[in-house]
Amino acid sequence: MAGAVAQTAIYPMDLVKTRLQTGVCQGGKAPHLGGLMKDIWVLEGPRAFYRGLVPSLLGIIPYAGIDLAAYETLKDMSKTYILHESAPGPLVQLCCGTISGALGATCVYPLQVIRTRMQAQPPNDARPYKGMSDVFWRTFQNEGYRGFYKGIFPNLLKVVPAASITYMIYEAMKKSLELD
């Protein structure tokens, strides 16, 4: 729930970031933050700031579940098969976080592609997306399964280090606060 609330609260800025990155704006002029936010509000309405929120929220729960379950499983396996019951050190934690983050991100990546395509759609598009299922079917028809994984490598370059460092710090904080 915390992830869903946080995502909903910051989502308008995620949409604006995507539009700034892709250059999607009204009138062909170069977008800037204030002008873009005003154009979205006036020309598309306040609901436009939440375009693509549903696939984003649908991705939070499985990502967190897969990531955490994989991390804990790998950590337990390392204790059993590699370390023989000793606590895993930072290198093992980083490795477990790397694998779990990559697995979680790869599993939910198609939802990120759908979200981003909904966000980046030009407001005056001749064939606008009608919703999440329309993005899914048009992507599948035009690009096949591979279309749902466009850009996954740069995404993994961002997500994997973040996940592994997060878990390493999490384990260090648990140890220092004697919560283990």
Side-chain angles (χ1 to χ4, degrees), residues 41-135:
W41 183 272
V42 171
L43 301 170
E44 299 176 59
R47 289 184 64 197
F49 284 103
Y50 290 91
R51 186 174 291 136
L53 178 63
V54 171
S56 185
L57 292 176
L58 289 175
I60 288 172
I61 295 168
Y63 171 76
I66 292 165
D67 184 30
L68 185 58
Y71 176 77
E72 290 297 332
T73 301
L74 291 167
K75 188 173 81 168
D76 290 345
M77 287 173 64
S78 75
K79 287 179 188 176
T80 304
Y81 299 108
I82 299 170
L83 307 170
H84 305 291
E85 294 301 321
S86 67
L91 184 59
V92 172
Q93 293 165 5
L94 280 172
C95 290
C96 293
T98 295
I99 295 167
S100 68
L103 181 62
T106 301
C107 289
V108 301
Y109 193 72
L111 289 167
Q112 283 190 328
V113 170
I114 290 170
R115 178 202 68 195
T116 303
R117 289 181 180 197
M118 291 176 76
Q119 288 177 332
Q121 177 175 278
N124 53 359
D125 193 346
R127 293 187 54 218
Y129 293 122
K130 295 178 185 89
M132 193 171 113
S133 63
D134 187 36
V135 177

